[in-house]
Amino acid sequence: MAKGSDLDRVTFIVLRELRGPIFMLITVYAIGMIGMVLIPGRDADGNVVHMGFFHALYFMAYTATTTGFGELPHPFTEPQRMWSIACLLLSVVTWVYAIGAIARLVGNPYFSQALAQRRFSNAVRRIHEPFVIICGYGDTGSLLARGLSDQRMTGVIIDGDVDRIKALGLRQYAVPMPGLCADAGVPKNLIDAGVDREQCRAVVVLTEEEVGLKIAVVTRLLNPAAQIICRCPSRLHVEELRSLGSVIIADPFEAYARELALALRSPPLYTLDEWLVGARGASLRRPLSCPPGSAASKQS
């Protein structure tokens, strides 16, 4: 259903922008062909002959491009040449108008968005292995995508910032990471991201709390088996999220406070934890140590 909807949007925008030029081209070609067929010509023996519709179409086709392959099937009479000049001028003007309409179509933001959404949904449909949907491609989303890539797991990314999605195309990931610039709170965008597919293992919500709650509700309705991980820095929507069941609620401030407390109270344990999770730069040979004068060193 999503595939047909994207195709309908693209088709609708194309027809809306190009229906005028297409109608004018058909009209000019039809009038030119009818005139070429009706105007009598003469063969090499001086007999009156009429051009067929196929020859008229062939003549109009190459004349419109100003190529000029000559007069066929016989040399034209003066009336035929006058009509050819009129058809040439009309077709050139019509093609200039059509090319301008095509240029406007390419620059139409709605057409670009429809094409991007269709390419995105096609890329997601080509994923046959388990993947994770990341809603929000900020600093945390970028680090998560890098971690998924290091583990050879595909991530599908939705973010409302066009610059972040452009930056996604510049990243060198080991696995495909399709991205879409759209509102992750819209159910259609989540469906295009594959939230209702069996391969979708989890949805990580890194957006604002209101949008995050919508994403969590839609995910639970469309894919009850998917794990939902939602960042929620306040207690405003915690109860609503917990009512959905099996939702991991991450408070970044609380997580940072726990890490900081662990680093101050037990630096060796903190170093071991960082080494076990594979943090960059973590080494058991160089355990974390508090500088002299800190609270932890005084307590020790």
Side-chain angles (χ1 to χ4, degrees):
M1 181 174 63
K3 181 179 180 180
S5 177
D6 293 336
L7 182 60
D8 292 342
R9 287 183 59 197
V10 174
T11 304
F12 172 76
I13 296 175
V14 171
L15 291 179
R16 186 184 65 182
E17 296 292 333
L18 298 183
R19 59 186 176 185
I22 292 175
F23 177 76
M24 288 188 62
L25 283 172
I26 293 175
T27 302
V28 169
Y29 271 65
I31 293 175
M33 290 171 57
I34 292 173
M36 297 303 297
V37 171
L38 294 179
I39 297 176
R42 294 189 179 276
D43 59 12
D45 298 329
N47 300 320
V48 177
V49 293
H50 288 273
M51 184 182 297
F53 278 100
F54 176 74
H55 284 154
L57 175 61
Y58 179 63
F59 176 77
M60 288 294 301
Y62 72 71
T63 302
T65 62
T66 66
T67 304
F69 288 134
E71 301 171 349
L72 57 92
H74 306 287
F76 286 173
T77 60
E78 297 302 323
Q80 286 180 314
R81 289 171 180 167
M82 291 296 296
W83 184 251
S84 300
I85 294 174
C87 293
L88 175 63
L89 296 177
L90 285 175
S91 61
V92 169
V93 172
T94 306
W95 272 110
V96 170
Y97 171 61
I99 293 173
I102 294 174
R104 290 194 301 271
L105 174 65
V106 173
N108 190 325
Y110 299 103
F111 179 70
S112 301
Q113 176 66 19
L115 283 181
Q117 193 148 7
R118 179 163 174 77
R119 288 194 297 265
F120 172 75
S121 60
N122 289 336
V124 173
R125 274 192 291 271
R126 288 193 292 267
I127 301 175
H128 301 290
E129 62 275 0
F131 63 89
V132 175
I133 298 177
I134 304 174
C135 300
Y137 191 66
D139 294 336
T140 305
S142 177
L143 291 174
L144 179 58
R146 176 61 62 185
L148 291 174
S149 174
D150 294 341
Q151 298 299 320
R152 308 293 297 182
M153 190 169 186
T154 303
V156 178
I157 299 167
I158 305 178
D159 194 284
D161 192 334
V162 62
D163 293 332
R164 292 177 179 175
I165 298 300
K166 289 180 179 178
L168 174 63
L170 301 177
R171 305 291 173 85
Q172 299 294 329
Y173 292 120
V175 292
M177 294 281 179
L180 176 66
C181 179
D183 184 4
V186 178
K188 182 185 181 305
N189 297 332
L190 290 174
I191 293 175
D192 288 339
V195 70
D196 56 343
R197 297 184 57 189
E198 182 182 357
Q199 291 84 357
C200 180
R201 293 293 186 262
V203 177
V204 182
V205 183
L206 303 172
T207 60
E208 299 178 356
E209 296 183 32
E210 294 288 344
V211 179
L213 181 60
K214 294 179 182 178
I215 297 172
V217 172
V218 173
T219 301
R220 182 56 66 233
L221 292 175
L222 296 178
N223 193 347
Q227 179 68 64
I228 301 175
I229 305 172
C230 186
R231 181 178 64 182
C232 187
S234 69
R235 303 294 180 180
L236 185 61
H237 299 294
V238 170
E239 295 300 327
E240 288 86 347
L241 290 172
R242 287 177 178 172
S243 65
L244 298 176
S246 68
V247 177
I248 299 177
I249 301 175
D251 187 344
F253 301 106
E254 182 179 349
Y256 178 77
R258 287 198 305 267
E259 294 291 325
L260 180 60
L262 181 62
L264 291 175
R265 293 177 181 176
S266 181
L269 184 59
Y270 175 81
T271 303
L272 177 62
D273 180 70
E274 290 288 292
W275 179 76
L276 289 175
V277 299
R280 293 186 178 181
S283 175
L284 296 178
R285 297 180 179 179
R286 292 181 289 109
L288 179 68
S289 60
C290 296
S294 62
S297 62
K298 290 180 180 179
Q299 291 178 3
S300 58

